[in-house]
Each structure stands twice: as structure tokens, then as C-alpha cells.
Amino acid sequence: MKNYRIAVLPGDGTGPEMVREGVKVLQAAAQKFGFGLDFTEYNYGGDRYLESGIVLSEEEVQELKKYPAIFLGAIGHPQVKPGILEKGILLRLRFELDQYINLRPVKLYPGVETPLKDKGPEEIDFVVVRENTEGLYAGSGGILRRGTPHEVAVQESINTRMGVERCLRFAFEYCRKRNMKKKLTLCGKTNVLTYAFDLWERAFYEVGEEYPDIEKDYGHVDAVCMWMVKNPEQFDVIVTDNMFGDIITDLGAIIQGGMGIAAGANINPEGTSMFEPIGGSSPKYTGLNIINPLASICAGSMLLEHLGEKEAAAAVEKAVITVCDGKIKSLSAGKMGYSTSELGDLAAGLIN
Ligand code: IPM
Ligand code: MN
């Protein structure tokens, strides 16, 4: 029997409650499809930081590299200054594990409410491929004469040909495999960011020559936001840089039903990948057993897909679809008609 070792980082706030249900459903899928999942939990996050002063040590990062996948809950603690845990855990892992792709499906399931008028599951089904190790997130820049009237703050966007190209290649391959509209949209800002997106645009059309079967499309990020609301059906796969990807995927999450369901994968195709709900740690709902675990369960489905357990991944997604279509009352915390753990039980019971 195949057995996979998975690191679990429940993290902060409602992270542990969500992850618990995700693990429950993954175990049900493993049992059903005849493979093993061996989960090892690590307590990295805000509470541990407040107790020990350690955000994440070098040894801990190295240890995580031994796993094919990490299942993450949420990072962010109300008593810790914003940035410390996000940069010290989430972004550090994305960078050090070289998870250069952040894959974020925007898919409206039947029965889920979208704020977009007259749009349904037929219209809202695309995937954002976000570059995940460069751009404005690279940490290049600095601050001079801080706190004085003469202060200067510089934050640069780093775009390497290698980093851009591997991201584009992944997006083209993904679009081909997805085999839907076979259209890849580069989301940029070539009219203003004439250095960064000059590189992106040239690389896009150059790499694109290797993919004659894929239609190449381009949109400025502001226009892409508009079209995501007005005509989301025009998109198949969108590829973009780290910052724009961050922004447009929150918009994507809300049109697919919100943070209760949106999940993403931080992928290193040759190393350790990490799967997470897109939403935060929701401190105000912590410990109440009312948070929606579907986003974690969807992240779990992406994890199984990544491991190559495609049937199991599809079964988990099917369970989520069944829950969404008629069972759950709302995707919002406290309004689901189920507690967090009841919803996990329900989804796990639907794996067949
Ligand atoms: C996300 C989050 C993170 C990001 C934050 C928490 C650092 O917003 O995963 O989209 O900006 O990438
Ligand atoms: Mn974000």
C-alpha cells in the first residue's frame, strides 16, 4: 500500500479547527481508495511564538523539506504584530521551499451563492497561476531616515527571467492539461510597469511559441478585475505576478462564494508543496466550532491531486459539491446549519 507522509501545520485562530476536518476527510478518502496518509503535526504559529520567541527555526524549515506535502491551516495571531508570522512562517516557507507557483482555482459550485448577478457555475470556472517567490514579495528595498521628515521608503519588484519563465511554463502546461478553453491570459500592467512586465510579456510570447494549441491573451490588472466581475466566463487560466496574483485571488475568492470555500496550493513541482485555505485565521470565531471547514477540505483535495491520487481528489471535491448543493445553508461561519465538526463528518461520510 502506498503511504504518504504529510506535515500538518494547523497554525493560529480557526486554523486547527479547519485542518482537523480537512484531515478527517482526507483520511476517509485514503481508506476508501486504498492508500495511507501519515500526518505529523507541528505547532508553529502565534501561540508558540508568544511562549518561546521562535517564529520558525532553520532546522524546522529543513525538517519540513522531507515531506512531499504540507497541510496548512492559517497563520496570523491578534497578539502578534502583523507581518511577523506571515513573513516568518508562510512567506518564508513559500520562498525557502521554492514553492514558485501559487495555484488558486476560482470555481463556483452549484448551490453556492455568488455576489455576481446572473452568473453561475457555468460562468465562474477559471484558475489563477500566481508567481509565488518574486515580485514585490521578494523583500528588496529598504527604508532610510525612518520616522524623520526626510524618510525614504523603497520597495522593488524583482522579476527574474528564470522565475518568470518557470511560472509561465507551468501555466501553459496547466492550461493544456486542464483542456478547457485552452486560453492563457497574462495579467500585467505593461502600460505603466514597463520594465517588469516588458520581461513578462516577452517571455510570455516566447515561451508561448512552444504552445501553439493555447490561445494567448493579455489583460492589464485593472481591466482583469473588471472582467472578473463583468464576464468571468472569458477566463480559463490567468497567469500573473505575486502581488497582482494576491489581489485578484481575493476578488476570485469572493465570486466563488467567499473565504469559506477558497483554497490554494503553493507548489514546488520538484519539492515540498503546501496546501491551504486562502482565508485567514479568523480570531473572532476561534474555538467556537462554527467556522466553515470546506476551504480546508478543498485544499485537501488539491493535496491529493498533487500526490497523484486523482480519484481520491475527485471524490473529495464531489463530497464538497454535494455539501454545497442543498445541504449547507450558507458558507458563512455560524450560518451553515452545521457545526464545523458536523460538516467535516458529513463530508467524510460522503466519500464514496
Ligand atoms: C495570501 C495572503 C498572504 C499573501 C499574506 C498572509 C502574507 O494574503 O496567501 O494571499 O499576501 O500572500
Ligand atoms: Mn492574499
Side-chain angles (χ1 to χ4, degrees):
M1 189 173 82
K2 258 199 173 159
N3 193 55
Y4 304 95
R5 292 182 64 232
I6 311 293
V8 181
L9 272 56
D12 303 315
T14 50
E17 295 163 64
M18 304 219 301
V19 154
R20 200 174 298 132
E21 305 315 313
V23 166
K24 192 187 275 176
V25 176
L26 287 179
Q27 286 292 22
Q31 202 170 6
K32 165 79 192 163
F33 291 93
F35 58 91
L37 291 172
D38 182 3
F39 292 102
T40 308
E41 206 170 299
Y42 296 90
N43 68 342
Y44 311 149
D47 287 329
R48 190 193 59 154
Y49 170 65
L50 291 171
E51 281 159 26
S52 67
I54 302 169
V55 180
L56 192 64
S57 74
E58 184 52 36
E59 296 75 57
E60 288 163 349
V61 174
Q62 295 312 324
E63 159 103 3
L64 289 173
K65 284 189 183 171
K66 295 184 194 148
Y67 293 89
I70 300 170
F71 195 48
L72 178 76
I75 297 292
H77 193 291
Q79 279 142 263
V80 181
K81 206 175 124 211
I84 294 181
L85 301 169
E86 293 85 341
K87 278 182 126 171
I89 300 178
L90 185 63
L91 298 181
R92 175 141 181 238
L93 289 176
R94 288 179 184 168
F95 278 75
E96 289 209 26
L97 304 183
D98 204 23
Q99 294 163 342
Y100 61 88
I101 297 298
N102 195 326
L103 192 67
R104 296 186 163 183
V106 178
K107 185 168 178 181
L108 179 70
Y109 291 129
V112 174
E113 214 176 298
T114 174
L116 299 190
K117 194 166 145 267
D118 303 329
K119 301 291 177 193
E122 289 280 299
E123 286 83 23
I124 303 174
D125 186 0
F126 61 92
V127 177
V128 177
V129 176
R130 163 184 174 187
E131 199 292 320
N132 212 29
T133 55
E134 301 193 339
L136 282 167
Y137 280 69
S140 176
I143 193 154
L144 186 63
R145 306 192 206 101
R146 189 170 179 281
T148 75
H150 293 251
E151 70 181 332
V152 183
V154 177
Q155 193 111 36
E156 293 154 323
S157 175
I158 303 299
N159 300 265
T160 70
R161 177 74 193 208
M162 179 281 292
V164 169
E165 209 171 300
R166 67 181 179 176
C167 174
L168 290 169
R169 215 169 276 284
F170 182 96
F172 275 114
E173 290 288 338
Y174 186 85
C175 189
R176 183 178 271 173
K177 253 200 289 164
R178 180 171 149 89
N179 200 19
M180 289 177 70
K181 295 192 185 78
K182 291 219 169 181
K183 173 175 167 184
L184 182 62
T185 303
L186 172 65
C187 166
K189 190 73 186 173
T190 53
N191 54 347
V192 176
L193 306 180
T194 49
Y195 312 131
F197 282 99
D198 178 61
L199 190 160
W200 273 88
E201 195 181 33
R202 277 184 290 112
F204 180 64
Y205 290 106
E206 282 169 34
V207 172
E209 282 182 19
E210 294 167 39
Y211 299 88
D213 52 324
I214 308 291
E215 182 192 339
K216 287 108 201 152
D217 176 44
Y218 172 80
H220 295 318
V221 61
D222 45 352
V224 167
C225 288
M226 179 190 70
W227 291 117
M228 277 172 68
V229 172
K230 195 173 183 308
N231 289 127
E233 63 276 12
Q234 70 173 259
F235 295 117
D236 180 13
V237 179
I238 300 176
V239 63
T240 191
D241 83 347
N242 210 340
M243 187 78 257
F244 292 165
D246 177 48
I247 297 167
I248 69 170
T249 53
D250 262 33
L251 178 54
I254 207 70
I255 69 175
Q256 72 175 117
M259 293 303 178
I261 190 123
N266 301 276
I267 297 177
N268 175 342
E270 293 94 41
T272 304
S273 298
M274 182 163 72
F275 301 82
E276 56 172 342
I278 293 187
S281 57
S282 313
K284 67 177 176 185
Y285 298 133
T286 302
L288 302 178
N289 199 25
I290 61 169
I291 194 79
N292 187 344
L294 287 178
S296 177
I297 297 169
C298 289
S301 169
M302 296 184 83
L303 185 153
L304 293 176
E305 173 89 34
H306 182 77
L307 294 177
E309 296 294 343
K310 300 205 185 306
E311 271 184 289
V316 171
E317 189 183 27
K318 195 164 145 259
V320 171
I321 292 172
T322 306
V323 168
C324 287
D325 204 9
K327 296 213 175 337
I328 196 169
K329 286 209 199 104
S330 153
L331 294 191
S332 305
K335 298 181 185 153
M336 305 185 293
Y338 297 90
S339 70
T340 307
S341 48
E342 283 169 351
L343 202 63
D345 290 340
L346 177 65
L350 287 166
I351 300 293
N352 52 47

